[in-house]
């Protein structure tokens, strides 16, 4: 299969509470990964820390956790892809399940955001995933999410998108969360590629970068890549502790 660099996206969510802690975490991670080859690491802190953290990154890229679907205008409280681009961001996480569940984001809204992010020349990291661990029903749900999110996006733009398979039941903050098995991951990613073939074509289905997210840590990362066929990971909790996150990235090249 066509292989790009392994991509590890650190989603810090709404942590930490203090800027000095955020800067310390970013600085330690930057130091710890600076000699790692073949892995792209993107740190996605809360918006308020982006400017300061950017100053401390060289090897790691910067990303945001959300954005709006217009570049400028009377949209109180929103932050646009054009603004994020100017701050030095390269990635934007879109459609995270926490945004769907707490803020009611729909596939239609995410579709507009994907377009705006691509227009600003940023890379969208688009999350899809089912709520419950139910065999069978998962496929229809994931296909429905992909159809809505990618509606009418031209194939020339699709190749720039990163998809993240993030089953909600596997996210560490959920009660009784447990990571997907590498087999779950492999089967779902293979299904996603089949669905992408139906939505576009074989080349796009084959070349799309697909990450796995959900309770990824330094001990299990490798199995998601080797056995689960993921091309990287979207990491929450394990990205908030520098030593653990550096170990996670380092384990990829061991
Ligand atoms: P955890 O790695 O904490 O399970 O979070 C996953 C996630 O939601 C990343 O976007």
């Amino acid at each position: 299969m066509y292989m790009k660099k392994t991509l590890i996206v650190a989603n810090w969510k709404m942590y930490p509470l203090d800027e000095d802690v955020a800067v310390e975490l970013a600085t330690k991670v930057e130091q710890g990964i600076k000699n790692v080859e073949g892995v792209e690491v993107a740190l996605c802190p809360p918006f308020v820390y982006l400017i300061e953290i950017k100053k401390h990154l060289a090897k790691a890229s910067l990303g945001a956790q959300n954005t709006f679907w217009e570049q400028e205008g009377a949209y109180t409280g929103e932050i646009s892809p054009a603004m994020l681009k100017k701050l030095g961001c390269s990635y934007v996480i879109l459609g995270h399940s926490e945004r769907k569940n707490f803020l009611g984001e729909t596939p239609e809204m995410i579709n507009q955001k994907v377009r705006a992010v691509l227009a600003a020349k940023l890379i969208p990291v688009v999350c899809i995933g089912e709520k419950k661990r139910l065999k069978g029903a998962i496929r229809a749900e994931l296909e429905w999410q992909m159809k809505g999110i990618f509606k009418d996006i031209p194939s020339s733009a699709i190749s720039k998108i990163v998809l993240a398979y993030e089953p909600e039941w596997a996210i560490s903050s959920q009660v009784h969360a447990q990571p997907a098995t590498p087999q779950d991951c492999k089967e779902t990613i293979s299904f996603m590629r089949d669905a992408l073939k139906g939505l576009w074509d074989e080349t796009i289905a084959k070349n799309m970068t697909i990450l796995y997210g959900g309770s990824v840590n330094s001990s299990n990362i490798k199995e998601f890549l080797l056995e689960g066929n993921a091309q990287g990971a979207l990491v929450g909790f394990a990205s908030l502790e520098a030593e653990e996150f550096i170990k996670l990235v380092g384990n990829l090249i061991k």
Side-chain angles (χ1 to χ4, degrees):
M1 181 173 289
Y2 173 78
M3 265 313 278
K4 296 179 200 155
K5 253 186 178 182
T6 300
L7 174 62
I8 303 293
V9 180
N11 177 9
W12 289 5
K13 307 193 179 185
M14 204 169 70
Y15 299 104
L17 203 49
D18 296 301
E19 187 178 75
D20 51 353
V21 179
V23 169
E24 190 186 342
L25 174 58
T27 311
K28 280 189 178 163
V29 169
E30 174 64 32
Q31 278 299 314
I33 64 157
K34 72 172 189 238
N35 297 320
V36 175
E37 297 298 333
V39 184
E40 160 96 350
V41 174
L43 303 186
C44 303
F47 286 132
V48 289
Y49 305 139
L50 286 170
I51 295 175
E52 193 52 37
I53 284 181
K54 176 68 187 164
K55 297 178 193 161
H56 299 269
L57 302 185
K59 175 88 172 181
S61 303
L62 190 66
Q65 299 171 20
N66 175 43
T67 190
F68 192 56
W69 56 72
E70 297 290 346
Q71 308 296 352
E72 190 181 19
Y75 305 104
T76 303
E78 295 298 331
I79 290 176
S80 80
M83 292 170 180
L84 295 173
K85 180 78 182 175
K86 282 176 196 283
L87 290 189
C89 286
S90 310
Y91 294 89
V92 185
I93 299 170
L94 294 177
H96 194 282
S97 57
E98 286 149 16
R99 296 199 57 81
K100 292 186 206 156
N101 295 336
F102 294 116
L103 293 143
E105 279 198 11
T106 61
E108 293 71 28
M109 289 157 81
I110 302 162
N111 174 270
Q112 293 192 73
K113 292 184 179 200
V114 172
R115 292 161 187 275
V117 165
L118 289 168
K121 305 225 173 327
L122 292 161
I123 301 169
V125 179
V126 178
C127 306
I128 65 163
E130 73 282 1
K131 272 193 186 303
K132 294 214 166 82
R133 191 174 203 166
L134 296 167
K135 280 263 174 224
I138 294 173
R139 301 193 162 200
E141 168 65 21
L142 294 186
E143 192 159 15
W144 175 81
Q145 290 180 18
M146 280 194 276
K147 268 193 179 149
I149 291 170
F150 295 146
K151 189 168 185 282
D152 297 332
I153 294 188
S155 53
S156 56
I158 287 294
S159 60
K160 302 186 179 81
I161 293 173
V162 171
L163 251 181
Y165 169 51
E166 204 169 68
E168 291 182 42
W169 48 267
I171 296 180
S172 67
S173 54
Q174 299 278 315
V175 187
H176 308 307
Q178 48 176 308
T181 63
Q183 192 58 28
D184 287 334
C185 181
K186 182 176 172 186
E187 283 172 13
T188 308
I189 288 179
S190 144
F191 162 73
M192 283 161 67
R193 291 202 191 279
D194 268 354
L196 289 167
K197 201 169 6 173
L199 290 172
W200 284 283
D201 57 44
E202 184 129 23
T203 314
I204 284 171
K206 247 167 76 181
N207 292 349
M208 175 82 79
T209 299
I210 305 183
L211 313 180
Y212 165 75
S215 298
V216 174
N217 57 42
S218 62
S219 313
N220 64 18
I221 179 70
K222 229 170 160 176
E223 58 195 42
F224 286 113
L225 272 67
L226 294 180
E227 298 161 45
N229 283 351
Q231 290 160 313
L234 182 53
V235 185
F237 192 66
S239 70
L240 290 169
E241 213 270 298
E243 225 170 274
E244 164 64 3
F245 187 64
I246 293 164
K247 196 163 148 200
L248 185 158
V249 174
N251 280 351
L252 292 170
I253 51 164
K254 276 201 185 131

